[in-house]
Amino acid sequence: MNKALTIALSFPLLLTIIIPPAFLFILALFTSMKYRRYGVYGSLAASLKGKEAKCVTEVHVLEALKKKSFADAVEVFLNTEIGSYLSERIATITTFADLEENIWNYLSYDIAYIEKYLPEEALLLLKQYLVKYDLANIKQVLRRITEKSIHPTKLVPLGLIYEQGLLKKLDEAASIDEIADIAKIAGLYDYATLIEEYIKKFTTEANIKSVRSELEKKLDSMYYSKLLSLSLKLRGREQLLPCIGTYIDLLNLSIVVRGVLSKDQAGAAKNILDVTYILHHDVLKSMLESRSLDELVEKIERTPYADAGRKIMEIFRLIGDVLLVEKVILDYSMRRIKETVSTVLLTPAVLLHYLLAKEKEIRLVLLTFRVVGEKLPVEVYSKFLKEIR
């Protein structure tokens, strides 16, 4: 009896001795640098998922397509962040070009906002990802210069060139040498070197368009290669790699499908990216050698992208709308992240999903305003506006 009483009385005392050190150990563990990163990602994930919930979706678009004007369509998007942004500026939006300018300004504002809250790894991914806008701007200026166009370029306020305050200088560039120099100053050294390698070709070869197309493909190939390499170095590579890889494969697949449908297999072969993921070059080459659409469909069916391939082919056959094709590619790429969503939230993969979601949103808004503005057949577009989960 005395022994039992002694144990009962000593148990609370034991707890008072053990619990405080244990609590301090746990507190120290979870406030250490390693675990603090997980806490930051948890907060980031909550913020980004909340913002994703305020994105324009296919449901919004299907409703907006019934409207007769830009202003009426914007009203459908009012409960979204981009809708609210556009509604405050709707008086200045009278053309599709006005809309594009406002949409890219919105994305620039949004990226600048989230950038302040990113952990180091996520910030690294963001910087590499945004280079795609640098390349888009460089390509625009390249085309203006090589085509001797008098039409002004409309550059996107995103990327390293923009961040360095060099966008106006790029817009005013009068030679390819200037483009390369600006890319170097912005820190895009590898891309600048590649551009320099093509300067002589532009002056010696007769087919300038072919040279420019080859350079653009090389720039894109370098970009996706760098993005893939970075994904292997970051936490969350299990989601980052298949997402980026799927995006690359579907880009190449869309080039193949378009090439076969237009009977320009030779041109498509030149445009396929140097970098691949699951669909290697021999597979893509075999698809391009298809003697009929049925044969191409059969070959696509033997890949992991059968469903996406069918959708891309149907879009190109019926309306040829690149925005819809890009939406399909984004949907399937994001799905690769969603497949393991429980482990995504504490890695940079949560940021990549958000960036792709914003790209998809922009394409949906642009698509809406083009259909409304040009009075395109709503019933044809509607069949492709189902979210892929």
Side-chain angles (χ1 to χ4, degrees), residues 353-370:
H353 189 277
Y354 179 76
L355 294 171
L356 295 178
K358 297 309 287 186
E359 278 206 39
K360 173 185 170 180
E361 178 181 45
I362 283 174
R363 280 153 181 76
L364 286 173
V365 174
L366 289 173
L367 190 69
T368 301
F369 283 85
R370 195 168 70 205

Side-chain angles (χ1 to χ4, degrees), residues 257-270:
V257 169
R258 199 170 190 175
V260 173
L261 287 173
S262 65
K263 301 189 187 309
D264 184 20
Q265 286 93 331
K270 292 178 182 177

Side-chain angles (χ1 to χ4, degrees), residues 25 31 41 46 80 157 194 203 209 242 275 323 344 362 383:
F25 172 76
T31 54
Y41 273 111
T80 68
L194 184 56
T203 58
K209 185 177 179 182
V275 59
L323 285 173
V344 164
I362 283 174
K383 68 177 294 186

Side-chain angles (χ1 to χ4, degrees), residues 376-389:
L376 299 175
V378 173
E379 63 282 358
V380 177
Y381 279 82
S382 296
K383 68 177 294 186
F384 296 110
L385 287 168
K386 291 182 180 178
E387 184 178 5
I388 299 167
R389 295 182 178 275

Side-chain angles (χ1 to χ4, degrees), residues 290-300 313 317:
S290 299
R291 289 162 293 184
S292 67
L293 288 181
D294 288 339
E295 186 180 345
L296 176 59
V297 170
E298 184 184 331
K299 289 177 180 178
I300 291 174
M313 182 175 288
R317 287 178 72 179

Side-chain angles (χ1 to χ4, degrees), residues 11-28:
F11 186 67
L13 180 63
L14 191 63
L15 288 179
T16 61
I17 294 171
I18 293 174
I19 288 177
F23 175 76
L24 289 173
F25 172 76
I26 293 169
L27 184 63

